[in-house]
Amino acid sequence: RHATLDIRYAVLSARARCYERTGTLEEEAIDLVEMLRLAREMRDPERQVESLRRQMFIASSLGKIADLKRATQAMAALARHSTGKKLQADRLYAAGVSSAAENEWARARKYLERALRLHRQAGDKTGMTLDLWYLGRLARDIGKGKDARDYLENALALVRDLGDREFECRTLIMLGAVIRDEANKRACFDQALDIAHTLGHLPYEASACNNASVTYWRLGLYRRAREYAE
Protein backbone atom coordinates (compact mmCIF):
# COMPACT_ATOMS: atom_id res chain seq x y z
CA ARG A 1 0.00 0.00 0.00
CA HIS A 2 2.72 2.47 1.01
CA ALA A 3 4.79 1.56 -2.06
CA THR A 4 1.83 2.32 -4.32
CA LEU A 5 1.30 5.70 -2.67
CA ASP A 6 5.01 6.39 -2.99
CA ILE A 7 4.92 5.76 -6.74
CA ARG A 8 1.80 7.88 -7.20
CA TYR A 9 3.44 10.74 -5.30
CA ALA A 10 6.60 10.53 -7.45
CA VAL A 11 4.59 10.52 -10.69
CA LEU A 12 2.52 13.51 -9.60
CA SER A 13 5.64 15.39 -8.52
CA ALA A 14 7.28 14.82 -11.93
CA ARG A 15 4.12 15.86 -13.79
CA ALA A 16 3.80 18.97 -11.64
CA ARG A 17 7.36 19.92 -12.64
CA CYS A 18 6.42 19.52 -16.28
CA TYR A 19 3.43 21.78 -15.80
CA GLU A 20 5.65 24.37 -14.12
CA ARG A 21 8.14 24.30 -16.98
CA THR A 22 5.40 24.90 -19.53
CA GLY A 23 3.79 27.65 -17.46
CA THR A 24 0.53 25.79 -16.81
CA LEU A 25 0.44 26.68 -13.13
CA GLU A 26 -3.23 25.94 -12.54
CA GLU A 27 -2.68 22.30 -13.52
CA GLU A 28 0.43 22.17 -11.38
CA ALA A 29 -1.53 23.47 -8.40
CA ILE A 30 -4.06 20.62 -8.76
CA ASP A 31 -1.28 18.01 -8.68
CA LEU A 32 0.32 19.66 -5.65
CA VAL A 33 -2.93 19.43 -3.70
CA GLU A 34 -3.14 15.70 -4.48
CA MET A 35 0.53 15.29 -3.51
CA LEU A 36 -0.22 16.81 -0.13
CA ARG A 37 -3.13 14.43 0.37
CA LEU A 38 -0.92 11.44 -0.45
CA ALA A 39 1.87 12.69 1.83
CA ARG A 40 -0.62 12.98 4.67
CA GLU A 41 -1.92 9.47 3.98
CA MET A 42 1.66 8.20 4.13
CA ARG A 43 2.24 10.27 7.29
CA ASP A 44 5.35 11.69 5.66
CA PRO A 45 6.13 15.18 7.06
CA GLU A 46 9.04 15.77 4.66
CA ARG A 47 6.81 15.33 1.62
CA GLN A 48 4.07 17.38 3.20
CA VAL A 49 6.55 20.23 3.58
CA GLU A 50 7.74 19.78 -0.01
CA SER A 51 4.24 19.93 -1.45
CA LEU A 52 3.27 22.88 0.74
CA ARG A 53 6.39 24.83 -0.21
CA ARG A 54 5.59 24.32 -3.87
CA GLN A 55 1.93 25.21 -3.32
CA MET A 56 2.99 28.45 -1.68
CA PHE A 57 5.21 29.43 -4.59
CA ILE A 58 2.40 28.81 -7.08
CA ALA A 59 -0.18 30.66 -4.96
CA SER A 60 2.23 33.59 -4.57
CA SER A 61 2.95 33.64 -8.32
CA LEU A 62 -0.76 33.61 -9.18
CA GLY A 63 -1.67 36.13 -6.47
CA LYS A 64 -4.04 33.66 -4.79
CA ILE A 65 -3.94 34.95 -1.23
CA ALA A 66 -6.62 32.55 0.04
CA ASP A 67 -4.64 29.53 -1.25
CA LEU A 68 -1.48 30.95 0.27
CA LYS A 69 -3.19 31.34 3.64
CA ARG A 70 -4.47 27.76 3.52
CA ALA A 71 -0.97 26.47 2.82
CA THR A 72 0.39 28.61 5.65
CA GLN A 73 -2.20 27.22 8.05
CA ALA A 74 -1.39 23.68 6.95
CA MET A 75 2.32 24.29 7.57
CA ALA A 76 1.52 25.68 11.03
CA ALA A 77 -0.64 22.64 11.84
CA LEU A 78 2.16 20.32 10.75
CA ALA A 79 4.63 22.09 13.04
CA ARG A 80 2.25 22.34 15.98
CA HIS A 81 3.03 18.87 17.31
CA SER A 82 6.76 19.00 16.65
CA THR A 83 9.64 20.55 18.55
CA GLY A 84 12.05 20.03 15.64
CA LYS A 85 13.80 23.18 14.40
CA LYS A 86 13.22 22.35 10.74
CA LEU A 87 9.43 22.22 10.97
CA GLN A 88 9.34 25.33 13.16
CA ALA A 89 11.50 27.09 10.56
CA ASP A 90 9.15 25.97 7.79
CA ARG A 91 6.22 27.39 9.76
CA LEU A 92 7.97 30.75 10.08
CA TYR A 93 8.92 30.71 6.40
CA ALA A 94 5.29 30.11 5.44
CA ALA A 95 4.13 32.94 7.71
CA GLY A 96 6.74 35.25 6.15
CA VAL A 97 5.69 34.52 2.57
CA SER A 98 2.03 34.96 3.49
CA SER A 99 2.73 38.27 5.25
CA ALA A 100 4.71 39.55 2.26
CA ALA A 101 1.81 38.72 -0.07
CA GLU A 102 -0.38 40.97 2.08
CA ASN A 103 2.22 43.77 1.99
CA GLU A 104 3.08 43.39 5.66
CA TRP A 105 6.76 43.98 4.94
CA ALA A 106 8.16 44.38 8.45
CA ARG A 107 6.34 41.33 9.78
CA ALA A 108 7.37 39.27 6.76
CA ARG A 109 11.03 40.15 7.24
CA LYS A 110 10.95 39.18 10.92
CA TYR A 111 9.39 35.80 10.13
CA LEU A 112 11.84 35.08 7.32
CA GLU A 113 14.89 36.10 9.35
CA ARG A 114 13.79 33.81 12.19
CA ALA A 115 13.16 31.02 9.69
CA LEU A 116 16.64 31.50 8.25
CA ARG A 117 18.26 31.20 11.68
CA LEU A 118 16.38 27.98 12.46
CA HIS A 119 16.96 26.46 9.03
CA ARG A 120 20.66 27.22 9.43
CA GLN A 121 20.72 25.59 12.87
CA ALA A 122 18.90 22.55 11.44
CA GLY A 123 21.36 22.33 8.55
CA ASP A 124 18.55 22.64 6.00
CA LYS A 125 20.19 24.26 2.97
CA THR A 126 17.06 24.09 0.84
CA GLY A 127 15.13 25.92 3.54
CA MET A 128 17.90 28.50 3.86
CA THR A 129 17.83 29.08 0.11
CA LEU A 130 14.08 29.69 0.15
CA ASP A 131 14.40 32.10 3.09
CA LEU A 132 17.20 34.04 1.41
CA TRP A 133 15.39 34.19 -1.93
CA TYR A 134 12.23 35.60 -0.38
CA LEU A 135 14.21 38.02 1.77
CA GLY A 136 15.88 39.20 -1.43
CA ARG A 137 12.55 39.58 -3.16
CA LEU A 138 11.16 41.45 -0.18
CA ALA A 139 14.15 43.79 -0.04
CA ARG A 140 13.76 44.46 -3.77
CA ASP A 141 10.06 45.25 -3.37
CA ILE A 142 10.73 47.84 -0.66
CA GLY A 143 13.60 49.43 -2.58
CA LYS A 144 16.58 48.07 -0.63
CA GLY A 145 18.69 47.01 -3.58
CA LYS A 146 21.94 46.36 -1.72
CA ASP A 147 20.24 44.12 0.85
CA ALA A 148 18.42 42.31 -1.95
CA ARG A 149 21.69 41.64 -3.77
CA ASP A 150 23.37 40.32 -0.61
CA TYR A 151 20.50 37.94 0.13
CA LEU A 152 20.30 36.70 -3.44
CA GLU A 153 24.04 36.19 -3.84
CA ASN A 154 24.02 34.06 -0.69
CA ALA A 155 21.01 32.15 -2.03
CA LEU A 156 22.80 31.60 -5.34
CA ALA A 157 25.88 30.15 -3.64
CA LEU A 158 23.71 27.73 -1.66
CA VAL A 159 21.55 26.65 -4.58
CA ARG A 160 24.61 25.94 -6.70
CA ASP A 161 25.97 23.82 -3.87
CA LEU A 162 22.67 21.92 -3.84
CA GLY A 163 22.73 21.47 -7.61
CA ASP A 164 19.15 22.74 -8.08
CA ARG A 165 19.35 24.20 -11.58
CA GLU A 166 15.73 25.36 -11.66
CA PHE A 167 16.12 27.37 -8.46
CA GLU A 168 19.49 28.65 -9.68
CA CYS A 169 17.77 30.01 -12.79
CA ARG A 170 15.05 31.68 -10.73
CA THR A 171 17.66 33.25 -8.45
CA LEU A 172 19.78 34.53 -11.35
CA ILE A 173 16.75 36.26 -12.86
CA MET A 174 15.93 37.95 -9.56
CA LEU A 175 19.59 38.86 -8.96
CA GLY A 176 19.89 40.38 -12.41
CA ALA A 177 16.87 42.54 -11.65
CA VAL A 178 18.50 44.11 -8.56
CA ILE A 179 22.09 44.52 -9.78
CA ARG A 180 22.77 48.05 -11.02
CA ASP A 181 25.78 47.37 -13.23
CA GLU A 182 24.46 46.58 -16.70
CA ALA A 183 27.31 44.22 -17.63
CA ASN A 184 26.70 42.12 -14.53
CA LYS A 185 22.97 42.20 -15.23
CA ARG A 186 23.68 40.82 -18.69
CA ALA A 187 25.81 38.02 -17.24
CA CYS A 188 23.00 36.99 -14.86
CA PHE A 189 20.35 36.95 -17.55
CA ASP A 190 22.59 35.13 -20.04
CA GLN A 191 23.34 32.42 -17.47
CA ALA A 192 19.66 32.17 -16.56
CA LEU A 193 18.70 31.85 -20.22
CA ASP A 194 21.20 29.03 -20.77
CA ILE A 195 19.80 27.11 -17.81
CA ALA A 196 16.16 27.75 -18.78
CA HIS A 197 16.84 26.57 -22.33
CA THR A 198 18.57 23.43 -21.06
CA LEU A 199 15.68 22.65 -18.70
CA GLY A 200 12.98 23.54 -21.21
CA HIS A 201 11.50 25.95 -18.67
CA LEU A 202 9.43 28.25 -20.87
CA PRO A 203 8.41 30.91 -18.30
CA TYR A 204 11.97 31.37 -17.07
CA GLU A 205 13.26 31.44 -20.65
CA ALA A 206 10.77 34.16 -21.56
CA SER A 207 11.63 36.18 -18.45
CA ALA A 208 15.38 35.88 -19.04
CA CYS A 209 14.99 36.85 -22.73
CA ASN A 210 12.90 39.90 -21.92
CA ASN A 211 15.29 41.12 -19.22
CA ALA A 212 18.36 40.43 -21.36
CA SER A 213 16.84 42.36 -24.27
CA VAL A 214 16.27 45.43 -22.09
CA THR A 215 19.79 45.17 -20.66
CA TYR A 216 21.47 44.89 -24.08
CA TRP A 217 19.44 47.86 -25.28
CA ARG A 218 20.68 49.97 -22.36
CA LEU A 219 24.24 48.93 -23.21
CA GLY A 220 23.73 50.18 -26.78
CA LEU A 221 23.93 46.68 -28.24
CA TYR A 222 20.77 47.12 -30.26
CA ARG A 223 21.14 44.20 -32.67
CA ARG A 224 21.70 41.83 -29.75
CA ALA A 225 18.72 43.35 -27.94
CA ARG A 226 16.48 42.72 -30.94
CA GLU A 227 17.66 39.11 -31.17
CA TYR A 228 16.54 38.49 -27.59
CA ALA A 229 13.29 40.37 -28.10
CA GLU A 230 12.42 38.18 -31.10
Side-chain angles (χ1 to χ4, degrees):
R1 172 69 174 169
H2 192 283
T4 301
L5 295 176
D6 187 74
I7 292 169
R8 286 174 61 190
Y9 184 95
V11 170
L12 282 169
S13 180
R15 187 170 71 177
R17 288 294 184 196
C18 291
Y19 283 140
E20 180 183 347
R21 291 178 181 185
T22 56
T24 47
L25 301 186
E26 296 284 359
E27 287 82 356
E28 181 186 3
I30 293 170
D31 278 356
L32 292 174
V33 169
E34 179 62 12
M35 284 166 58
L36 177 60
R37 189 191 69 77
L38 291 173
R40 284 171 171 165
E41 190 172 345
M42 289 186 285
R43 298 185 179 182
D44 187 331
E46 291 289 333
R47 283 176 171 165
Q48 289 181 57
V49 168
E50 178 198 13
S51 58
L52 285 168
R53 282 174 171 175
R54 290 167 67 178
Q55 281 186 42
M56 293 185 70
F57 180 73
I58 297 301
S60 179
S61 299
L62 295 174
K64 293 192 172 183
I65 305 301
D67 290 349
L68 189 56
K69 283 184 175 180
R70 276 193 291 271
T72 301
Q73 290 166 358
M75 195 78 87
L78 188 59
R80 191 169 295 128
H81 304 294
S82 172
T83 57
K85 289 181 179 179
K86 185 178 181 302
L87 274 177
Q88 296 306 318
D90 289 329
R91 176 184 63 81
L92 290 165
Y93 160 78
V97 174
S98 184
S99 296
E102 296 186 275
N103 299 327
E104 296 178 354
W105 311 120
R107 181 180 297 178
R109 181 171 182 174
K110 288 179 181 177
Y111 279 134
L112 290 167
E113 286 177 341
R114 288 169 61 194
L116 179 60
R117 285 195 296 272
L118 286 180
H119 275 135
R120 183 178 287 118
Q121 290 171 16
D124 182 357
K125 289 185 177 181
T126 299
M128 291 169 61
T129 302
L130 287 165
D131 300 330
L132 288 164
W133 190 89
Y134 268 102
L135 280 164
R137 176 178 171 177
L138 178 61
R140 180 206 65 177
D141 289 346
I142 61 177
K144 295 189 175 183
K146 184 180 182 304
D147 288 347
R149 179 171 182 170
D150 290 343
Y151 285 129
L152 292 167
E153 285 179 342
N154 285 328
L156 185 62
L158 276 174
V159 82
R160 282 175 168 165
D161 187 49
L162 290 168
D164 187 337
R165 297 287 278 167
E166 200 163 293
F167 207 155
E168 180 183 358
C169 184
R170 187 202 310 180
T171 305
L172 282 165
I173 292 171
M174 183 70 74
L175 181 59
V178 302
I179 289 176
R180 291 187 177 182
D181 179 76
E182 298 293 341
N184 286 331
K185 277 182 177 289
R186 180 185 66 182
C188 284
F189 295 137
D190 282 345
Q191 290 176 61
L193 183 57
D194 285 343
I195 296 170
H197 184 71
T198 299
L199 295 175
H201 199 301
L202 301 183
Y204 287 174
E205 189 170 354
S207 178
C209 274
N210 179 65
N211 281 289
S213 177
V214 172
T215 302
Y216 276 107
W217 187 268
R218 287 173 178 165
L219 288 169
L221 302 171
Y222 303 120
R223 181 179 298 176
R224 189 70 168 152
R226 283 195 296 272
E227 288 174 0
Y228 276 102
E230 294 170 357

